[in-house]
Structures are given as structure tokens and as C-alpha cells.
Amino acid sequence: MRFLLDDEQREFARSLDAMLTASDTPAVVRAWAAGNHGPGRDLWARLAQAGVFALAISEAYEGVGPLPVELAVAFTELGRHAVPGPVVETVAAGVLLGGLGGAAAKEWLPRLASGAASATLRMDGYGPYALDADAVDAVFTVTGDELRLAPGPGTLSVSSDPARRLWRPGPGGELLASGPRVARAAGRAARWAAFATAAQSLGTGEALLRATVTYVKQRTQFGTAIGSFQAVKHRLADTLIGLEFARPLLYGAALALAGETPDAGAEVAAAKVTAGEAGYASARAALQLHGAVGYTQELDLSLWLRKARPLRDAWGTPGACRARVLADGPAASAARPPVSGDLAQ
């Protein structure tokens, strides 16, 4: 199956690329890692003006969504430019609140859509941490069948990426909703979080591949550019194939989310594991082909290298995603015996 973006979607990607290129995102990432959130907040405001955070929020709450294809376009660009902060978690919190409705949705969703507020999210089954909880206006937590607004960021933990600060929210906080509807809304929010993370992984891998191709054309050994070596060509070709294979799976998952098909979870899981592994493989290739210089923090490449593995594991590890595909994918559905009464229908 072949997926093609329309003219408006391609222009959306170009406009985000131009804006982020002009924003000097490496400097923003370094400031964010150092605890200076000002440049990052300014960048988030520009992203909000471009409509990025409104894409998963319905018009009823002043959003423009749900538009999963456009969200894939946007988050691929965010990954390509290494935009810091809980951008995925803000989108997921919007999906969660939108699924629940009520006073909390009315209070927070218009603010999240417009960029007037930012949020992060921690849910059972996806680790004990909330990303960048010290830099947002709201920390939402889902524990069991309860949704709460955490009283503060909690306790800081160690992360392999200094620009991804992990916080363990403390207990308690304001109870916003409870009951089975929380679990249903949380499941949908987790699918959107995995989907957006897959798009980020794809963009991160593309940026790493582009930087590596540029480098191997310039770096010489024995008087020859190393990009002309057969082993290097093969490594880069394998990396490109992995990324290009992930792209249609990402857009296939977008269509499944848009239609809310029964196998949307499996489609998202397939995209997540494929894009995550492709992005991580691109990071490994970039590190090896850059040689010793690839290990230096002064090189901007390090900002992308440090993101690839956390993105691969966030909102669904490769093992968990593969298990989801096997359990809920089309092949599994076809293999299941019909439920009593199905044949009579």
C-alpha cells in the first residue's frame, strides 16, 4: 500500500521545518537540559500557533482534530529537529481528557490546544515517571481507574538523555475522574502517545541519517571519502531501508486511528516498534560512522543520538509492541474461533 500526503499536508511539513530550522533547536535543547525552560516554552508557543497541539483535540474544545495524519507529519518534524519537552505527553493528556469530558476537559483542553498550558502524563503500565514534570502546568496521573492532577513534579530520576528529565510524581493530588471510563480513555490516550512517539522516532532517525551521509562525504581515509567505501554504503542503505519501511506503517496506523478500527492498537504497535527500531539503528550507524567524534557532547549530533533509544522504549517497548501485534493484529483476529452467535449473524 502506498501513502501520499496531499498538498496541504506537505506544506504543513515544510512550514514546520522552516520554523524549526530558524529556531536553532540545538541551542533550545541544550538550554532545556540545563534546566532553562524559557527558550523551549517560546518554541512551544510557536508550535501551538501552528496548530500542532490542537491536532488531537476536537473542535468542541477549540481544537481541530482528531487529525492523526497531520499529527504524524508534525511529530516527524519535531523528531527531525529534536524538539525537547513532553510534546507527546501533552497530546496524550488531551486525548485522555477529551475521552472523559466533564469539567477537567472544559478547563484544560482549550488551554492545551492553544498552547496556553502544557502537560505531562504518567499512566500505569508505562513506567513510574512523568517526563519533564517540572516544566509543565499540569501533571496528570492514571493509577488503576483513577485520574488525578498530581500536587507537584515529584522526585527527579536519572535519564540517559539530559533533555528528557524523568520525575516520579508523589501520591495524592486532586481526583478528576474514576471508574471504568478512565481505563477506556487511558487506553486510547496510550495509543495516541505510542503513535506520536513513533513519528518522533522516524524523524530522529531521518535527521541522524542525513547528518551521517553529510559526514561520510567529507571525512577521508587514505585520501578517499569514507562514503565511497562499500561497507559504509551498505550500512547507510540498510538504515535508509529501515526508515522507509517504517513510514507506510506510520501512515497506516494514522488511518486506523482516524477510523478507530478494531485493530488500531495493533497497527500503532507495529508502527511504534518498526519506527523505534529504525531510529535506534540509525543512531547506531551514525555513532559508528562518525567515529570518535560521535561520542563528544559538543557535537550537535549527540542531541539526536541520546534521544533514539529512549524514544524506542517510551510508550511501548519493542517487546510489548510485538506482543500487541501478535495478540491483536489481523492475523490473530483471523485465527480466533468465532464467538457463539457470530455465524448466525
Side-chain angles (χ1 to χ4, degrees):
M1 186 177 294
R2 187 182 184 192
F3 298 98
L4 293 175
L5 300 178
D6 62 28
D7 291 341
E8 288 188 2
Q9 291 162 342
R10 288 194 291 270
E11 181 57 33
F12 183 43
R14 284 192 292 268
S15 66
L16 287 177
D17 178 54
M19 182 190 71
L20 293 170
T21 299
S23 298
D24 189 14
T25 52
V28 175
V29 176
R30 294 185 192 281
W32 191 275
N36 177 9
H37 301 131
R41 288 180 180 274
D42 291 342
L43 179 57
W44 274 46
R46 292 193 290 275
L47 290 171
Q49 290 175 356
V52 170
F53 299 117
L55 292 172
I57 296 175
S58 72
E59 294 182 5
Y61 297 103
E62 301 181 24
V64 297
L67 296 173
V69 175
E70 285 75 9
L71 191 80
V73 170
F75 274 75
T76 300
E77 292 300 325
L78 267 57
R80 189 176 289 128
H81 289 274
V83 172
V87 287
V88 165
E89 288 71 19
T90 293
V91 166
V95 173
L96 174 62
L97 293 171
L100 291 171
K106 292 179 181 178
E107 177 185 357
W108 286 102
L109 288 182
R111 297 171 63 193
L112 293 177
S114 68
S118 58
T120 191
L121 176 66
R122 189 214 68 80
M123 295 199 320
D124 282 351
Y126 297 94
Y129 303 110
L131 180 65
D132 294 316
D134 62 326
V136 297
D137 301 292
V139 180
F140 297 103
T141 64
V142 176
T143 304
D145 62 355
E146 293 184 346
L147 169 64
R148 291 182 178 271
L149 181 63
T155 306
L156 180 64
S157 186
V158 178
S159 172
S160 61
D161 180 2
R164 289 177 60 87
R165 296 164 61 84
L166 302 176
W167 296 80
R168 186 189 291 266
E174 180 185 356
L175 179 64
L176 300 179
S178 62
R181 63 195 184 108
V182 171
R184 291 192 295 270
R188 185 167 180 263
R191 286 193 293 275
W192 279 76
F195 172 70
T197 304
Q200 266 193 308
S201 292
L202 178 62
T204 299
E206 289 177 347
L208 286 163
L209 177 60
R210 183 182 302 173
T212 307
V213 169
T214 300
Y215 180 77
V216 300
K217 290 179 179 179
Q218 300 168 348
R219 176 75 167 89
T220 61
Q221 281 187 349
F222 312 112
T224 304
I226 65 173
S228 64
F229 298 163
Q230 199 73 3
V232 173
K233 290 180 179 180
H234 287 173
R235 184 69 181 271
L236 294 175
D238 289 343
T239 302
L240 176 61
I241 289 171
L243 293 168
E244 290 303 317
F245 184 72
R247 194 183 314 279
L249 291 179
L250 180 68
Y251 289 128
L255 296 180
L257 283 177
E260 296 189 349
T261 61
D263 61 345
E267 294 277 3
V268 170
K272 174 67 171 61
V273 66
T274 307
E277 294 283 33
Y280 184 50
S282 185
R284 290 171 61 89
L287 185 61
Q288 181 180 16
L289 295 178
H290 275 80
V293 72
Y295 286 91
T296 61
Q297 294 188 26
E298 293 76 14
L299 189 69
D300 285 348
L301 183 81
S302 67
L303 305 178
W304 281 265
L305 286 173
R306 288 177 178 269
K307 291 186 182 300
R309 183 160 185 172
L311 288 175
R312 185 194 70 168
D313 295 336
W315 294 104
T317 63
C321 289
R322 290 188 177 98
R324 181 66 185 270
V325 173
L326 290 174
D328 298 336
S333 299
R336 293 193 189 101
V339 177
S340 178
D342 281 358
L343 295 181
Q345 301 292 329

